[in-house]
Amino acid sequence: MKLVVCGKGGCGKSTIVALLAQQYAQSGKRVLVVDTDESNAGLHRLLGTEAPKDLMDFVGGKKNMMAAFREVRENNTPSPIENAKTIDSIPAEFISGNDGIRLVAIGKIHQAGEGCACPMGALAKQFLAGLELSANDMVIIDTEAGIEHFGRGIDKVCNAILMVIDPSYESLNLAKMVADMAATIGVPLYYVLNKTDSMTGQTLRNTIQDKSRIIGEFSQDSTILAAGLEGRQMPADYPAVTEVMKTLSMLG
Ligand SMILES: Nc1ncnc2c1ncn2[C@@H]1O[C@H](COP(=O)(O)OP(=O)(O)OP(=O)(O)O)[C@@H](O)[C@H]1O
Ligand SMILES: [Mg+2]
């Protein structure tokens, strides 16, 4: 399964990606986390691993990659990521982690003035669309804040979308937009509430129109906050994750 995790800035996407990854790995799945957020560079720490080399370098950098993809479209040449179609075939330097959880990062903005992030979006989509999984593989995709990933076509090549909703007006607004976009592309959408307390959790549940989409709630938790602050690996046995995994398992 390919699961894309989205939501507004700072709502807890990367944290929940890491929590899910840990628990899926513990349950015996082979987990691949794909980092498509070109701005944030700390996800590897939450997974307890090193940062891999950008997958963008595997396809020759931004400029070469766009030219190569144009060639694919116009002249039907082989895709530059033809050789990374399964988790096992991704060259070691572009993947970090261990047997349980592996991490691929599409590409990061490293320097001022290096151009827009469009090539990262194009590569993320091509890579995810072409990635062939075995039954035991679980791919979890971390995204940049907002809804750019819909524009990039990432959600369309995934099996489910998990939107993280924190207690904010912005998140509630975004939830409606994401619901419309998910319906347009026909990909199942679920919500998890994050950083709630008894009052804000209830307010979110009262306000969200399609309550049947809510499949989990992560309360504001000082342990998570401390791990995030220190860049430490997330725990593998977090109770709220079990509920989310149960619903997602029904999708296959
Ligand atoms: N349930 C929680 N309880 C306490 N703190 C949390 C919780 N979830 C996330 N956080 C904290 O909130 C902050 C933002 O989390 P995170 O980086 O995961 O969000 P994000 O949505 O990935 O952000 P960005 O949009 O920048 O990628 C971090 O400091 C993280 O530790
Ligand atoms: Mg993040």
Side-chain angles (χ1 to χ4, degrees):
M1 164 187 247
K2 297 172 189 171
L3 174 71
V4 59
V5 177
C6 69
K8 78 171 243 302
C11 65
K13 298 176 289 297
S14 301
T15 302
I16 285 176
V17 163
L19 285 167
L20 282 168
Q22 300 287 356
Q23 201 150 323
Y24 269 112
Q26 202 183 44
S27 77
K29 287 274 185 195
R30 180 166 72 159
V31 178
L32 176 69
V33 174
V34 180
D35 183 1
T36 69
D37 182 353
E38 61 276 348
S39 300
N40 291 340
L43 181 59
H44 62 285
R45 299 283 300 247
L46 305 183
L47 298 169
T49 185
E50 303 298 313
K53 233 170 119 175
D54 291 354
L55 195 67
M56 186 59 76
D57 295 345
F58 175 55
V59 293
K62 284 190 196 172
K63 258 197 194 143
N64 289 340
M65 188 218 72
M66 290 310 261
F69 280 155
R70 219 175 9 254
E71 277 285 297
V72 173
R73 276 197 311 275
E74 290 169 6
N75 300 322
N76 225 1
T77 52
S79 163
I81 47 160
E82 191 73 9
N83 298 328
K85 276 203 152 171
T86 60
I87 296 178
D88 286 325
S89 63
I90 301 165
E93 57 189 316
F94 302 104
I95 194 161
S96 64
N98 50 44
D99 284 346
I101 302 177
R102 293 145 198 244
L103 171 67
V104 162
I106 299 297
K108 300 286 172 194
I109 303 281
H110 295 285
Q111 281 162 359
E114 69 168 70
C116 76
C118 301
M120 321 282 197
L123 179 58
K125 184 189 168 185
Q126 297 295 333
F127 171 64
L128 287 167
L131 191 61
E132 292 163 6
L133 304 181
S134 65
N136 198 40
D137 291 341
M138 179 72 196
V139 176
I140 308 175
I141 299 129
D142 192 13
T143 57
E144 80 295 336
I147 48 174
E148 173 73 19
H149 46 93
F150 277 101
R152 292 173 166 185
I154 289 173
D155 303 72
K156 213 172 164 176
V157 299
C158 293
N159 306 101
I161 303 167
L162 187 67
M163 178 176 178
V164 181
I165 300 183
D166 68 357
S168 68
Y169 184 74
E170 279 302 326
S171 268
L172 287 168
N173 261 342
L174 196 65
K176 288 185 216 145
M177 290 176 71
V178 167
D180 288 345
M181 291 184 178
T184 307
I185 58 173
V187 178
L189 167 68
Y190 298 97
Y191 298 142
V192 285
L193 313 182
N194 189 30
K195 305 195 201 185
T196 57
D197 59 22
S198 54
M199 193 197 77
T200 54
Q202 199 49 54
T203 307
L204 287 177
R205 284 177 189 274
N206 292 342
T207 315
I208 290 170
Q209 275 169 3
D210 196 348
K211 296 176 195 2
S212 63
R213 292 190 196 278
I214 304 171
I215 61 167
E217 179 167 349
F218 296 71
S219 47
Q220 175 72 29
D221 180 336
S222 54
T223 319
I224 291 187
L225 188 63
L229 174 63
E230 291 158 23
R232 269 193 283 112
Q233 188 170 1
M234 286 290 151
D237 52 353
Y238 202 76
V241 179
T242 315
E243 206 186 322
V244 176
M245 282 170 60
K246 223 188 288 170
T247 308
L248 293 175
S249 70
M250 287 183 243
L251 286 175

